[in-house]
Amino acid sequence: MKKGFYYLLIASLLLTACQPSTFLISKGNRAYYFGRQSKSLKKILCDSGDFKKVLRNTRMPEHLKDDFYRYVCTDEASREKVVALYNFLTPDERKSLKRAFVKQGYAINYVPC
């Protein structure tokens, strides 16, 4: 089963080259694309512990939560892999992820002025 998941991940990676990204998250007066590599984004998501809370409140398989954390908050951080994982999610899992961000005080697809 894991082998099939990795094949899907690779296929999704190839398809994401044509797609822009995931979605915007904002907190305070800053907005970021979820999955982008940024020191300040890593600080507000990872160093604060917010992303662990977001993942805890998301309805998706545990292995996907682990992969999201790995590709957002560790030395293996990768925009391409985050986008691929996001594209692999079902519509309900995507909604759940966005709702979990909102529950932690983030706005979705909003750019503060």
Side-chain angles (χ1 to χ4, degrees), residues 31-100:
Y32 308 90
Y33 276 102
F34 175 62
R36 283 264 169 96
Q37 302 303 297
S38 161
K39 288 180 184 179
S40 53
L41 179 59
K42 189 173 181 179
K43 184 176 180 179
I44 66 167
L45 280 182
C46 306
D47 297 346
S48 70
D50 280 359
F51 195 52
K52 283 185 179 181
K53 294 173 189 172
V54 166
L55 291 173
R56 254 195 316 265
N57 290 308
T58 302
R59 289 180 306 166
M60 69 175 71
E62 288 301 317
H63 71 276
L64 289 178
K65 292 179 184 182
D66 294 341
D67 287 343
F68 269 114
Y69 187 81
R70 178 182 315 124
Y71 298 132
V72 171
C73 293
T74 69
D75 291 338
E76 295 179 57
S78 167
R79 176 193 169 282
E80 291 81 16
K81 290 180 182 178
V82 171
V83 172
L85 285 169
Y86 181 75
N87 287 330
F88 179 71
L89 296 178
T90 66
D92 287 339
E93 290 169 336
R94 288 180 185 191
K95 287 179 191 175
S96 176
L97 179 61
K98 290 176 183 177
R99 286 184 191 134

